[in-house]
Amino acid sequence: MLYAVLTKESANRVYADSASRLLAAELAAIARYFSFAVTDIEVTNLGGVDYVTFGGGELDDQDRFIVSNLSGTRAVFTLKGDALYPLDLKTLEWFDDDLITIQRYSGKTNEQFTHMLLNLTLAESTAAHERAANEDQVHLLDPVAGRGSTLNRALVYGFDASGIELTDKDVEHYRTFITTYLKGHRVKHKTTSERFRKGDLAGASAFDVDIDRGRQNLRMACGDTSKAKELMPGQNFDLIVGDLPYGVRHTATAKSARRSPLELVQGAAHAWHSVLVRGGAIGLAWNLKTMTREQVSAALAAAGFTIIDHPRSFEHVVDRAITRDLIVATRRR
Ligand SMILES: C[S@@+](CC[C@H](N)C(=O)[O-])C[C@H]1O[C@@H](n2cnc3c(N)ncnc32)[C@H](O)[C@@H]1O
């Protein structure tokens, strides 16, 4: 059998130029979960439009689920000769897509890229797979959460989501957004707030949202990510997914915000390791113009993480100042 995946139109033109290649790389990284050996993954132009094509056996329900939930999938077809036959998609959506798309702000991580980074991290987290198989809640942490794009993607997947963000303005924006969204969509929820008063955490704050009577939990803490354990007391995560600061803008004035992205990873990697369960996985994206792949790998390895080797590169140009890459690593011990 031959299949063709039509890539989503991306809002960001530069990302769109790389979208099909990145989708092919994502598929190659996840291909081992299919019920058959996936072959010949490539970008193919059919009638002037790019598709990601691949070969293999008949898609079963699980295969259809995987291909439907790839970050760039717009539509999936079987390809016979020159003809495309559409297949029904099976997307995992606990919330409408508008949870992902409504927010618009400068510094927002591309939605499709966020989705891909989460998928790649999920693929390496045996802990998350075991939880999902037992119908237990998967728990994700974004340690550099901004205004919550990763948290929203995690909520759409039905996960519990927690975020840590240094800038209080971003945390406030996200609180307003998510509570307004839940209210507008008539989803029952209860929000509670706390402020840390003593010790290292003095001045830090957090809010929690109980969504639909415990169906999902959301927590956002305002503080330094190197204090992940203290900001998320008693919590462990199956996934850590974050888009690191790009080191190109310096709006925040706090000393901790002026650290370079490498200093940030070096200073926080042990804390991230300590809140990730065994069998959990971490996925980080960063600007290659601020640090090399070797530097990120070394910082994560020094904290006890095992780096995953992907079959294809995810490096891509975002703009003149940013060439982005990603890395996934696991906690084995
Ligand atoms: C690239 S942005 C993340 C954007 C986010 N994915 C979104 O779409 O809203 C990186 C974030 O890391 C935050 N940050 C920088 N240093 C931090 C630290 N030490 N602890 C927590 N957050 C930090 C920055 O304030 C920034 O919001």
Side-chain angles (χ1 to χ4, degrees), residues 105 109 144 146-147 149 165-167 224-225 243-245 259 264:
Y105 50 90
T109 309
V144 283
R147 296 188 186 181
S149 55
E165 168 56 50
L166 196 59
T167 313
D224 192 316
T225 193
D243 184 23
L244 295 167
R259 284 201 302 247
L264 175 71

Side-chain angles (χ1 to χ4, degrees), residues 246-248 286-292 317 319-324:
Y246 290 104
V248 287
W286 80 98
N287 180 3
L288 274 169
K289 294 190 174 160
T290 62
M291 57 183 164
T292 63
V317 173
D319 59 29
R320 221 158 27 88
I322 302 170
T323 299
R324 192 162 47 191

Side-chain angles (χ1 to χ4, degrees), residues 84-85 92 189 212 253:
L84 292 168
Y85 298 88
L92 181 57
H189 63 283
D212 203 6
T253 49

Side-chain angles (χ1 to χ4, degrees), residues 32-33 119-134 136-138 237-240 276-282 308 328-333:
R32 66 183 187 280
Y33 286 104
N119 279 351
L120 293 169
T121 312
L122 184 58
E124 305 305 330
S125 173
T126 49
H129 282 97
E130 278 164 22
R131 284 187 158 279
N134 293 330
D136 284 335
Q137 213 52 0
V138 173
F237 302 92
D238 309 297
L239 303 166
I240 297 180
L276 191 67
V277 298
R278 283 193 188 81
I282 180 168
I308 300 295
V328 178
T330 58
R331 175 175 175 174
R332 303 240 162 111
R333 291 173 284 111

Side-chain angles (χ1 to χ4, degrees), residues 79-295:
L79 181 57
K80 290 180 185 152
D82 283 345
L84 292 168
Y85 298 88
L87 295 171
D88 285 338
L89 295 184
K90 286 181 51 172
T91 48
L92 181 57
E93 279 176 357
W94 289 54
F95 288 93
D96 293 341
D97 216 32
D98 61 351
L99 177 57
I100 307 282
T101 53
I102 294 176
Q103 273 180 304
R104 293 266 161 251
Y105 50 90
S106 129
K108 181 176 180 182
T109 309
N110 177 289
E111 295 138 19
Q112 228 169 288
F113 179 77
T114 302
H115 190 179
M116 180 171 72
L117 184 60
L118 200 162
N119 279 351
L120 293 169
T121 312
L122 184 58
E124 305 305 330
S125 173
T126 49
H129 282 97
E130 278 164 22
R131 284 187 158 279
N134 293 330
E135 295 188 5
D136 284 335
Q137 213 52 0
V138 173
H139 198 170
L140 171 143
L141 171 70
D142 182 343
V144 283
R147 296 188 186 181
S149 55
T150 318
L151 306 183
N152 291 339
R153 168 46 60 189
L155 291 177
V156 170
Y157 267 1
F159 298 167
D160 284 348
S162 296
I164 300 173
E165 168 56 50
L166 196 59
T167 313
D168 48 5
K169 216 169 77 193
D170 285 346
V171 175
E172 263 325 296
H173 266 280
Y174 185 59
R175 181 216 285 267
T176 305
F177 166 73
I178 195 68
T179 49
T180 307
Y181 179 92
L182 292 170
K183 210 167 159 192
H185 287 70
R186 298 179 193 285
V187 180
K188 283 204 168 53
H189 63 283
K190 196 168 162 250
T191 310
T192 48
S193 305
E194 70 179 294
R195 188 159 279 284
F196 299 91
R197 302 206 181 274
K198 290 187 195 138
D200 275 1
L201 288 186
S205 61
F207 70 88
D208 289 86
V209 188
D210 174 328
I211 299 170
D212 203 6
R213 295 198 189 90
R215 186 191 85 189
Q216 282 171 277
N217 291 296
L218 171 69
R219 176 179 174 84
M220 177 83 136
C222 183
D224 192 316
T225 193
S226 63
K227 297 274 179 289
K229 207 175 175 66
E230 295 81 0
L231 290 167
M232 298 288 156
Q235 308 228 33
N236 282 311
F237 302 92
D238 309 297
L239 303 166
I240 297 180
V241 177
D243 184 23
L244 295 167
Y246 290 104
V248 287
R249 244 174 271 123
H250 301 283
T251 46
T253 49
K255 201 172 160 203
S256 36
R258 287 202 301 267
R259 284 201 302 247
S260 74
L262 181 58
E263 285 167 336
L264 175 71
V265 178
Q266 287 168 335
H270 278 98
W272 297 339
H273 191 268
S274 73
V275 296
L276 191 67
V277 298
R278 283 193 188 81
I282 180 168
L284 298 174
W286 80 98
N287 180 3
L288 274 169
K289 294 190 174 160
T290 62
M291 57 183 164
T292 63
R293 184 170 196 86
E294 290 67 33
Q295 287 174 315

